[in-house]
């Protein structure tokens, strides 16, 4: 943001909506690969023919997407719909889904910068209810979790939690939990100290066949193939 602090951009004086797109949580996963140019191309592809956002690529794995509120209002498209389009586009290209918190009706660029700083200072760039849900899943993914048990443990109603989680994270709680478990499994596979059955159980998935199918869906290859990459 500092590099662009003195730049006079068209949206600086007008109301805008900003979406923060980041793959930061996948940086430790060796199967993950993306670049700033690919990130920009995927964003442009997702909104092509709909709106003309300003894309500020922050690094190889994060970007800010700024939409003109006037253009949004004129097109009758909601930011939530655009975030969903972006999310779907990313998951079409690869199995890694980005975090995509967003904020509407920002008065100007300075307010957008302020919101970005707030995202950055919060755990995982999320507001309190979502942040504590993510923390709970991180600490308990190895157990049998359901939507009702998760919502009960973070003292929120299931319907409210589903709504705000999907809105801020860009995916459902179930999809996020599945990806979390597979990322943890990938780390265990690389350590090469346990069988696939043991690893599956360690990440909270008792059905090894289901674990294999889910792993391939998320990572693009089977657990055994993933292991062979590191232990030949």
């Amino acid at each position: 943001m500092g590099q662009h602090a003195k730049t006079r951009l068209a949206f600086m004086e007008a109301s805008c909506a900003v979406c923060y797109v980041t793959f930061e949580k996948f940086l430790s996963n060796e199967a993950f690969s993306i670049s700033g140019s690919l990130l920009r191309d995927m964003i442009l592809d997702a909104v092509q023919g709909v709106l003309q956002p300003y894309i500020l690529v922050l690094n190889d794995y994060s970007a800010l997407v700024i939409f003109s509120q006037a253009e949004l209002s004129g097109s009758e498209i909601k930011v939530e719909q655009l975030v969903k389009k972006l999310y779907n586009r990313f998951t079409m290209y690869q199995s890694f889904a980005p975090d995509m918190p967003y904020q509407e009706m920002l008065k100007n660029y300075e307010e957008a910068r302020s919101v970005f700083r707030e995202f950055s200072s919060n755990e995982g760039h999320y507001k309190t209810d979502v942040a504590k849900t993510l923390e709970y899943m991180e600490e308990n993914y190895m157990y049998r979790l359901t939507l009702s048990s998760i919502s009960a443990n973070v003292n929120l109603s299931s319907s409210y939690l589903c709504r705000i989680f999907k809105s801020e994270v860009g995916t459902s709680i179930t999809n996020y939990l599945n990806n979390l478990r597979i990322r943890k499994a990938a780390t265990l596979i690389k350590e090469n100290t346990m069988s696939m059955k043991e690893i599956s159980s360690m990440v909270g998935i008792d059905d090894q066949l289901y674990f294999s199918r889910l792993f391939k869906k998320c990572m693009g290859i089977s657990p055994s193939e993933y292991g062979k990459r590191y232990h030949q």
Side-chain angles (χ1 to χ4, degrees):
M1 295 299 293
Q3 295 173 5
H4 298 263
K6 297 180 180 179
T7 305
R8 300 294 297 178
L9 300 169
F11 58 82
M12 288 183 69
E13 305 301 330
S15 180
C16 62
V18 59
C19 177
Y20 178 49
V21 182
T22 180
F23 287 91
E24 184 177 1
K25 68 185 179 186
F26 297 115
L27 293 181
S28 61
N29 191 322
E30 294 181 26
F32 173 73
S33 177
I34 199 169
S35 66
S37 59
L38 178 58
L39 190 59
R40 177 186 290 276
D41 288 345
M42 285 193 285
I43 293 169
L44 288 173
D45 189 28
V47 300
Q48 188 176 27
V50 181
L51 293 171
Q52 297 295 317
Y54 180 82
I55 302 169
L56 182 58
V57 176
L58 303 175
N59 46 50
D60 281 345
Y61 53 85
S62 301
L64 287 179
V65 189
I66 298 100
F67 299 97
S68 159
Q69 201 72 50
E71 192 179 4
L72 279 169
S73 300
S75 65
E76 297 183 350
I77 295 174
K78 295 181 179 179
V79 174
E80 187 175 350
Q81 292 174 299
L82 286 170
V83 171
K84 188 173 182 179
K85 280 177 67 71
L86 285 169
Y87 179 82
N88 289 340
R89 184 61 58 181
F90 285 126
T91 52
M92 277 178 62
Y93 280 106
Q94 56 185 30
S95 58
F96 297 93
D99 292 327
M100 297 176 62
Y102 67 91
Q103 180 97 17
E104 295 185 69
M105 300 304 292
L106 295 164
K107 294 177 182 178
N108 50 40
Y109 179 58
E110 286 306 312
E111 188 175 351
R113 290 186 68 198
S114 175
V115 170
F116 175 70
R117 291 193 196 99
E118 185 180 337
F119 283 156
S120 300
S121 64
N122 287 342
E123 178 66 29
H125 316 300
Y126 297 113
K127 295 175 183 175
T128 303
D129 286 342
V130 171
K132 69 181 180 182
T133 302
L134 292 172
E135 183 180 3
Y136 178 78
M137 287 194 287
E138 179 72 30
E139 294 174 352
N140 296 277
Y141 67 87
M142 67 290 296
Y143 304 119
R144 187 177 184 276
L145 299 180
T146 63
L147 174 60
S148 58
S149 68
I150 293 170
S151 55
N153 277 281
V154 295
N155 299 312
L156 299 169
S157 72
S158 295
S159 58
Y160 171 74
L161 180 57
C162 281
R163 186 172 68 254
I164 63 164
F165 193 94
K166 183 68 179 289
S167 173
E168 285 201 44
V169 182
T171 188
S172 68
I173 289 175
T174 299
N175 284 341
Y176 183 90
L177 180 59
N178 284 339
N179 274 287
L180 172 63
R181 284 170 164 163
I182 295 307
R183 284 190 281 118
K184 297 295 184 181
T187 300
L188 292 173
I189 290 172
K190 283 188 282 187
E191 292 174 359
N192 196 31
T193 58
M194 292 181 285
S195 68
M196 291 301 172
K197 184 177 181 180
E198 290 173 317
I199 290 172
S200 174
S201 180
M202 284 281 290
V203 298
I205 303 174
D206 294 327
D207 186 335
Q208 191 180 348
L209 183 60
Y210 174 69
F211 167 74
S212 295
R213 288 201 299 264
L214 185 61
F215 191 99
K216 188 168 185 178
K217 179 182 178 182
C218 293
M219 304 296 284
I221 57 175
S222 70
S224 57
E225 290 171 325
Y226 187 83
K228 287 176 183 176
R229 287 188 175 186
Y230 299 96
H231 313 295
Q232 293 181 346

